Amino acid sequence: MLSYVIEGNNRIEGIVKASGSKNAALPIIATAILNPEPVTFYNIPDIEDTRITLKILKLLGCKVTVNSGKITISSKQMNNKTIPKELMHKLRSTVVLAGAILGRFKEATFSFPGGCNIGKRPIDLHLKAFKSLGVEIEEKEDYIHCRAKKELIGTKIKLDFPSVGATENIILASVYCKGVTHILNAAKEPEIQDLAKCLNKMGAKVYGAGTSRITICGVKKLHKADYKIMTDRIEVGTLLCSAAITKGKIKIENANPQHLLNVLYELKNIGCDISITQNSITLKAPKKLKGTNIETRPYPGFPTDMQPIIGAVLCKANGKSIIKENIFENRFKYAQDLKKMGADIIFDNDKNQIEIIGENHLQGNTVSSADLRGGAALVLAGLSASGTTIVENAEYILRGYENLEQKLKTLGANIKLCEKH
Ligand code: EPZ
């Protein structure tokens, strides 16, 4: 088991570049299945989640070459339409590969991804959408077999909830559909806009990404293309918060402020000085942070992935804060570990919210990541705590943050990734 060992009380100061977006990389890698012509992607982060996704593409028969952040994929010889169950359970977001396999081959077999530590995470909206596109679905021995009689037929799909994954899956499955597909109540996240831009560069016709109504006009074929994916906005938010929690100052050189407006608003609200250019964000933390109330919502609301991160920061704020989680049912595990470090936090499970009585002096302790963003929150708490903090199960954090240890070290942190026996 891997752990981060952190000597706290160091200010985070300096200039850093964030990596490519994990949540854009996964659906964009899936476009290589739709497109039989060679495709090349740049700025793909080298993290566990992208490694597993590329491993599945190889198992499906794709040719994949990786050269640091540059990845070339050819799916011409792809011959397998079944996503292996064990890998699907390891990485639930591979469910978007199903939409791409279905779009290209009119059939796909995969298993229920299974829940994870932040919630049940069903895929009912994905399956309901596939059925609307004329796909027959049969569940047998915990595999889901999808098959269209002849081809997928464009239609109007109104999502009950603006699900990011379901929106991505419908777009991928609809690229070659007969006619036109309209998605109503679509998710508006920037990662969906990145996916649409990538597909359109390959010759697809996806319109309205970033709004709640997306239109996909079916095309006959795609052509070869290369594409550089967007910066990871959640990593940017995490790095900004590492300076906020340690009274530091940070400039992130390749960040798009438009992707984080709500997060920047809240950071200003709690006293941080923020300045932006078209592709950079600079944050200077105040001596004393102020408390605030946060509610997570679908984009452009405050992102659920930043909820644990801002939760750690608000432990240091002067005054009370309330954080309400509206997207996932189980995303406060990290707060139990913050309490072990001295944070004064009250849980209200009925309302799915926590109340943080601020101005806590955080004391280093041994804590444990229960999920990706909760683990990152504990690292930030360790940076600002006095003494040594050991964050166990660091594997969770390595899934979504590329070279986090190196980045924080260059910014003045005393942090080490260790094999913990
Ligand atoms: C994506 O997950 C992200 N993952 C998540 O980031 C992110 O938290 C989430 O979107 C919300 O922004 C990737 O992009 C790989 P959803 P996804 O479908 O697509 C319910 C991280 O830390 N729902 O928008 O799975 C679901 O249970 C990860 O980087 C259904 O009920 O999220 C959840 O409560 C964590 N039925 C809510 O919708 C469905 O069929 C939002 O889920 C699908 C979803």
Side-chain angles (χ1 to χ4, degrees), residues 22-23 121-125 163-165 305 327-328 373:
K22 165 180 89 78
N23 291 349
R121 304 189 76 182
I123 58 167
D124 55 309
L125 300 178
S163 155
V164 172
D305 293 346
I327 307 294
F328 290 108
R373 308 299 175 184

Side-chain angles (χ1 to χ4, degrees), residues 86-274:
E86 51 290 346
L87 286 177
M88 191 121 184
H89 289 172
K90 215 168 162 193
L91 177 57
R92 53 162 287 107
S93 45
T94 47
V95 67
V96 284
L97 300 181
I101 299 170
L102 201 50
R104 164 95 178 266
F105 298 103
K106 322 300 173 224
E107 61 174 297
T109 297
F110 52 98
S111 66
F112 283 98
C116 70
N117 300 335
I118 59 176
K120 288 191 311 297
R121 304 189 76 182
I123 58 167
D124 55 309
L125 300 178
H126 301 241
L127 300 178
K128 192 174 158 193
F130 288 166
K131 280 182 190 149
S132 324
L133 289 164
V135 174
E136 282 167 10
I137 294 179
E138 187 201 351
E139 291 173 30
K140 210 161 66 180
E141 291 126 39
D142 81 13
Y143 268 99
I144 303 166
H145 301 274
C146 298
R147 177 185 294 276
K149 278 207 189 64
K150 218 161 113 316
E151 54 192 331
L152 279 78
I153 314 292
T155 183
K156 192 177 275 190
I157 298 171
K158 185 171 180 355
L159 285 173
D160 303 338
F161 177 86
S163 155
V164 172
T167 303
E168 290 165 348
N169 243 343
I170 297 166
I171 291 172
L172 289 161
S174 299
V175 162
Y176 297 124
C177 73
K178 184 168 183 294
V180 179
T181 294
H182 297 281
I183 309 173
L184 308 179
N185 195 26
K188 302 189 269 191
E189 272 70 3
E191 291 77 15
I192 290 169
Q193 295 176 60
D194 219 29
L195 170 63
K197 270 165 60 186
C198 175
L199 281 168
N200 289 342
K201 205 173 170 197
M202 296 175 175
K205 290 186 175 153
V206 183
Y207 308 112
T211 74
S212 56
R213 183 185 181 113
I214 299 177
T215 298
I216 305 103
C217 302
V219 295
K220 288 270 175 279
K221 66 194 284 295
L222 297 177
H223 51 70
K224 71 184 281 199
D226 58 41
Y227 189 76
K228 181 182 179 197
I229 75 167
M230 63 183 263
T231 300
D232 192 314
R233 63 190 173 101
I234 306 299
E235 182 191 5
V236 168
T238 305
L239 292 169
L240 291 171
C241 286
S242 72
I245 200 171
T246 57
K247 301 191 181 83
K249 180 173 190 298
I250 190 170
K251 177 177 183 181
I252 301 172
E253 284 189 314
N254 59 339
N256 180 344
Q258 299 308 316
H259 289 166
L260 277 169
L261 291 179
N262 208 306
V263 173
L264 299 181
Y265 170 79
E266 292 300 347
L267 287 170
K268 269 172 85 79
N269 216 4
I270 64 175
C272 295
D273 180 52
I274 304 263

Side-chain angles (χ1 to χ4, degrees), residues 16-22 43-47 229-236 239 252 254 400-404 407:
V16 71
K17 277 189 187 324
S19 298
S21 164
K22 165 180 89 78
N43 203 29
I44 301 282
D46 180 18
I47 51 178
I229 75 167
M230 63 183 263
T231 300
D232 192 314
R233 63 190 173 101
I234 306 299
E235 182 191 5
V236 168
L239 292 169
I252 301 172
N254 59 339
Y401 290 94
E402 184 183 50
N403 300 331
L404 182 64
K407 286 168 182 158

